[in-house]
Amino acid sequence: MKNPRAKHNFLGRTCSITGVGSYVPDRILTNADLEKMIETSDEWITTRTGIKERRIAAADEFTSDLAAKAAQRAIAMAGVTAEQIDLIIVASITPDMPFPNTACLVQQKIGARRIPSFDIEAACSGFIYALEIGHQFIMSRTYETVLVIGAEKLSSITNWKDRNTCVLFGDGAGAAILQNRPSSHGLLTTALGADGGKAELLSMPGGGSRCPATAQTVTDGLHFLRMDGKETFKNAVQAMCSAATEVLERCEIDITKIKCVIPHQANRRIIDAVGERLGATPEQLFVNLHKYGNTSAASVAIALDEAVHSGKIQRGDLILIIAFGAGLTWGAAVIEW
Ligand code: UT7
C-alpha cells in the first residue's frame, strides 16, 4: 500500500473500531404527516430524495441524550466500561448549547472519568473528521480507548414552514469505540477536505458572533438551517467521488474489493450518482435514508452501525465511508473491519 500509515505504524499500532452503536428517537414523522403541515407530497419527497420518514426527538430529549444512548451501545459492543474511555469526541452542528460542549455533557451521562472531552463541527462530514482525530490519538499512543460520536437534533434548527428543507432532515446519533488492536488493520486511510469559499451554500447564519441572537434575528428566521439545494447537490457528488477515489488509490485497491460503501445519507439521487461514478454495484451501497432522512454528523455513524448489526459487514471486510456537508466539508475513509 502507498499509504505509509496503512496497517501497523512505526509504534506497532493500529486503530480498530471495536464497537459501534446508534440511537434514534421513537417519534416517526412520515411524508404523509408532512403533507398535512406544508404543501408537499409523498410522491415529490420520495422521487426527489428517497426519504419516506424521519425521527424527531422529544422536546426534553437533547443531542447529548441521543449521543449518550448511542455511546452506551457502542461501549457494550466493544466490551469495555465507560471508565476505560480516555477521550470523547462529539461531532455535531446541533450541540445542546453553544457551550459547554456536548462531549462534556455526554461524559457525565455515561459515567466516564474526568477525561478530555470536546466537540468538533464539520457538519455532515463531522463523524469522519472525528474518526480521523481519534485515530491520530490512538496511533500516537496517547490514548488506548476513544469514543467518537456523531449526534444531531436537526429538528431544533429546522424551519417547519420551509418545504425546501424541512422534508430532508431528522434526528439521531451513532457512536464508535476506537482501540489499538494489533491483530487487525482497522482504519487504513482517511482523506479530508474543505472549501470555505462555498460556505454560503449551506448554513445557519444566526446565533453566532456574526448575528448574535436578537428579536430581529429570530423574526428573520436566521436560527434555521438554509440551503441552496441544487448547488449543494452538484458539489456533493463531485467531492464525495474525488475523496473516495483518493482513499482507494492510496490503498491501491479498486471498488470491487470494497464489501460495503457507506455514503452520507442526504439524497438517494446523490448516493446513486456517487455509486455509479465509482463503479459500485447497488448491492455494495448501504442505504437507510428512507427511514431517517439526513441526520448530518450522525448519518454515516448510524449507517455503519446498521450495516454491522444487519450482518452486511463481517470482520475482515473492507468498507468505504464517504461524507459531505456544510463548510463545505467532505471526507472518505477505508476501514478493514
Ligand atoms: O447534508 C448536506 C448535503 N445536502 C445535500 O447534499 C442536499 C442536496 N440537495 C438536494 O438533495 C436536492 O437539491 C433537494 C432535494 C434539496 C431538492 O431537489 P431538486 O431536484 O434540486 O429540486 P429543486 O430545488 O430544483 O426544486 C424543484 C421544485 C421547485 O419548484 P419550482 O420552482 O420548479 O416551481 C421547488 O419549489 O420543487 C419544489 N419543491 C417542492 N415541492 C414539493 C421544493 N421542495 C418541495 C417539497 N415538496 N418539499
Side-chain angles (χ1 to χ4, degrees):
M1 296 197 184
K2 275 187 214 160
N3 175 21
R5 88 171 202 208
K7 303 192 176 175
H8 305 262
N9 75 354
F10 66 98
L11 294 170
R13 310 268 292 181
T14 66
C15 175
S16 284
I17 298 178
T18 56
V20 282
S22 68
Y23 173 80
V24 291
D26 292 335
R27 186 179 155 213
I28 297 174
L29 186 72
T30 64
N31 291 349
D33 296 328
L34 283 164
E35 283 176 352
K36 291 177 204 136
M37 296 162 57
I38 45 161
E39 202 183 318
T40 191
S41 64
D42 173 49
E43 197 268 332
W44 191 97
I45 301 170
T46 306
T47 53
R48 297 292 179 116
T49 73
I51 300 164
K52 295 299 269 182
E53 56 189 45
R54 64 289 292 143
R55 300 301 179 104
I56 304 295
D60 61 352
E61 193 176 30
F62 313 119
T63 297
S64 63
D65 298 312
L66 311 181
K69 284 182 177 150
Q72 276 156 345
R73 291 175 181 175
I75 289 166
M77 180 179 165
V80 296
T81 62
E83 293 80 41
Q84 277 173 266
I85 296 166
D86 301 312
L87 171 71
I88 301 173
I89 309 171
V90 173
S92 185
I93 55 168
T94 48
D96 284 25
M97 52 195 126
F99 68 88
N101 70 48
T102 302
C104 286
L105 307 176
V106 171
Q107 181 207 72
Q108 285 301 292
K109 285 181 181 171
I110 65 172
R113 289 174 290 121
R114 295 198 298 172
I115 50 169
S117 305
F118 62 89
D119 291 2
I120 66 126
E121 199 273 82
C124 308
S125 315
F127 187 71
I128 292 191
Y129 270 64
L131 268 186
E132 173 62 10
I133 298 166
H135 168 274
Q136 296 291 344
F137 278 112
I138 297 277
M139 295 303 259
S140 64
R141 220 160 49 185
T142 310
Y143 298 122
E144 293 303 320
T145 304
V146 175
L147 169 59
V148 171
I149 308 169
E152 302 286 6
K153 185 176 177 179
L154 291 172
S155 59
S156 67
I157 59 164
T158 298
N159 180 352
W160 292 103
K161 293 191 174 118
D162 175 15
R163 69 175 185 172
N164 290 295
T165 53
C166 76
V167 302
L168 304 173
F169 300 100
D171 302 335
I177 296 286
L178 308 183
Q179 293 184 295
N180 172 42
R181 282 284 176 276
S183 56
S184 79
H185 296 142
L187 196 51
L188 293 180
T189 196
T190 306
L192 304 176
D195 180 1
K198 293 179 178 160
E200 302 298 326
L201 288 184
L202 182 47
S203 67
M204 188 183 88
S209 59
R210 182 155 136 190
C211 297
T214 62
Q216 192 60 44
T217 62
V218 174
T219 305
D220 294 344
L222 300 185
H223 304 274
F224 293 130
L225 175 159
R226 48 179 68 186
M227 174 170 70
D228 176 340
K230 270 207 183 326
E231 272 309 303
T232 306
F233 189 113
K234 279 189 238 159
N235 280 277
V237 175
Q238 195 273 327
M240 289 171 78
C241 287
S242 67
T245 304
E246 186 179 338
V247 289
L248 291 174
E249 281 178 5
R250 268 200 243 154
C251 292
E252 294 183 329
I253 54 172
D254 66 52
I255 193 76
T256 62
K257 300 285 182 300
I258 299 290
K259 178 72 190 307
C260 185
V261 180
I262 299 182
H264 173 46
Q265 309 282 314
N267 186 315
R268 180 74 214 216
R269 286 151 56 217
I270 294 177
I271 294 174
D272 289 343
V274 169
E276 196 177 313
R277 287 196 197 181
L278 293 177
T281 62
E283 295 71 42
Q284 282 173 293
L285 293 175
F286 190 85
V287 179
N288 66 0
L289 96 162
H290 52 288
K291 296 190 288 182
Y292 309 128
N294 181 348
T295 57
S296 190
S299 161
V300 290
I302 296 172
L304 174 63
D305 176 52
E306 291 199 343
V308 169
H309 283 104
S310 66
K312 191 157 167 80
I313 299 173
Q314 304 291 333
R315 284 284 167 206
D317 286 343
L318 288 176
I319 61 175
L320 169 62
I321 304 182
I322 322 167
F324 172 85
L328 302 175
T329 56
W330 56 85
V334 176
I335 299 169
E336 188 180 285
W337 187 250

